[in-house]
Amino acid sequence: MMLRSEDYEIGAFFGLVAVFEIGERLRPARPINRWLDLKLDLLSFAFALTVNRVSTYSVTHLAAKVAPESLIGSLHAVQGLPSALKILLALFLADFVLYWIHRAQHNFDTLWRTHAWHHSVEQLYWFSGFRTSFLHSFIYNIPQVVIPILLLKLSPAEAGIGYAIGLLIQFWEHTNFKAEVGWLGWLLVTPDYHRIHHSATRHRGKNLGTTFRLWDRWFGTYVDPALVPQSLPLGLGEPIDRRKIPRMMLGV
């Protein structure tokens, strides 16, 4: 039986859940109360899962109809690259586009409303990173689908591996894990790096990269984690009005 990309995604998800749950228990970066927002995190996760499926399906079919055949056809040389290079290229290009989308979300009020729900997290750990609005998920799915699937023509297995890497990054950057990665910290986003971005302080618009630190270094949004106290408060800096949660989850 031939495996679908969805099969790889499910296996990757449960494997990463186990890894990060154990890692956070053994070496937490800061004390948190997982029970405080568990109901909200469970609701957000179920919502994010549904929204992701809807967004991925919608973007895939819409992009397939509007993408110029001449553009897709001109990429045969790139589409013929070895799998590892194609996956790395997809990751690099998508991350570059996502940096600018993310930056725009922090600079324009209308786009900030698509992102504010994600920043409402005050107890940051691997599960809380799934707190995303409908429009946030839809917007982010555009480069995450168009680049690997339509432009680079990743196979189901390649797409599944790419998804697993993306999911690893999602867990990794939001995890409450005390990580030491040595020289890789110069290149890659780490939990302490992204935690600064989730702060309720002036640093919230900094450290916008999701995978690579290069964009923050090159485009002036870099803050060195070594210079910022790791005990800084997280979230929006104000209590969430429960009546506004449905609107925030939609991203409007």
Side-chain angles (χ1 to χ4, degrees):
M1 182 179 66
M2 181 175 293
L3 293 175
R4 303 167 301 166
S5 61
E6 291 85 354
D7 299 320
Y8 293 97
E9 294 171 9
I10 293 170
F13 175 79
F14 285 107
L16 289 171
V17 165
V19 169
F20 281 95
E21 180 64 22
I22 294 171
E24 285 190 356
R25 299 285 184 177
L26 294 176
R27 202 176 183 198
R30 55 193 285 174
I32 63 170
N33 181 0
R34 291 166 175 257
W35 298 99
L36 187 63
D37 293 319
L38 184 60
K39 291 182 180 179
L40 199 55
D41 288 337
L42 286 169
L43 172 64
S44 299
F45 173 70
F47 180 74
L49 196 63
T50 303
V51 165
N52 180 265
R53 293 294 90 189
V54 172
S55 298
T56 300
Y57 179 84
S58 302
V59 170
T60 300
H61 286 267
L62 179 62
K65 290 182 179 180
V66 302
E69 286 294 333
S70 57
L71 172 62
I72 297 175
S74 66
L75 297 174
H76 281 313
V78 177
Q79 293 164 0
L81 289 172
S83 294
L85 288 179
K86 281 204 299 182
I87 293 170
L88 182 60
L89 181 60
L91 181 65
F92 192 79
L93 293 176
D95 196 58
F96 177 72
V97 175
L98 288 175
Y99 168 84
W100 289 105
I101 292 175
H102 196 183
R103 185 163 178 165
Q105 287 176 311
H106 280 266
N107 288 327
F108 300 99
D109 289 341
T110 300
L111 287 175
W112 169 247
R113 289 197 288 271
T114 72
H115 192 50
W117 179 237
H118 184 64
H119 274 273
S120 67
V121 175
E122 296 178 352
Q123 301 284 321
L124 199 63
Y125 68 112
W126 69 264
F127 195 48
S128 61
F130 290 96
R131 195 180 294 192
T132 55
S133 74
F134 172 78
L135 288 178
H136 177 114
S137 184
F138 185 85
I139 293 169
Y140 276 50
N141 261 279
I142 294 173
Q144 290 172 335
V145 168
V146 171
I147 291 172
I149 305 301
L150 294 179
L151 296 185
L152 300 182
K153 296 290 186 181
L154 266 62
S155 69
E158 291 168 341
I161 294 171
Y163 172 84
I165 295 173
L167 190 60
L168 170 63
I169 293 166
Q170 167 77 4
F171 280 113
W172 169 251
E173 65 185 7
H174 294 103
T175 191
N176 184 43
F177 181 71
K178 190 174 182 180
E180 296 176 2
V181 296
W183 65 270
L184 282 174
W186 187 91
L187 176 66
L188 301 176
V189 168
T190 51
D192 60 339
Y193 186 87
H194 193 67
R195 199 174 297 123
I196 291 171
H197 176 71
H198 274 271
S199 71
T201 69
R202 59 189 175 89
H203 296 308
R204 193 168 67 197
K206 303 296 184 178
N207 291 6
L208 297 161
T210 56
T211 302
F212 302 107
R213 299 190 187 193
L214 297 175
W215 323 126
D216 289 306
R217 291 181 183 276
W218 290 349
F219 302 117
T221 51
Y222 175 78
V223 172
D224 187 346
L227 303 179
V228 179
Q230 288 300 302
S231 59
L232 76 178
L234 308 180
L236 294 172
E238 58 186 13
I240 301 174
D241 186 342
R242 297 276 169 167
R243 295 171 299 178
K244 295 182 179 180
I245 286 179
R247 176 182 62 79
M248 293 177 74
M249 292 179 72
L250 289 175
V252 296

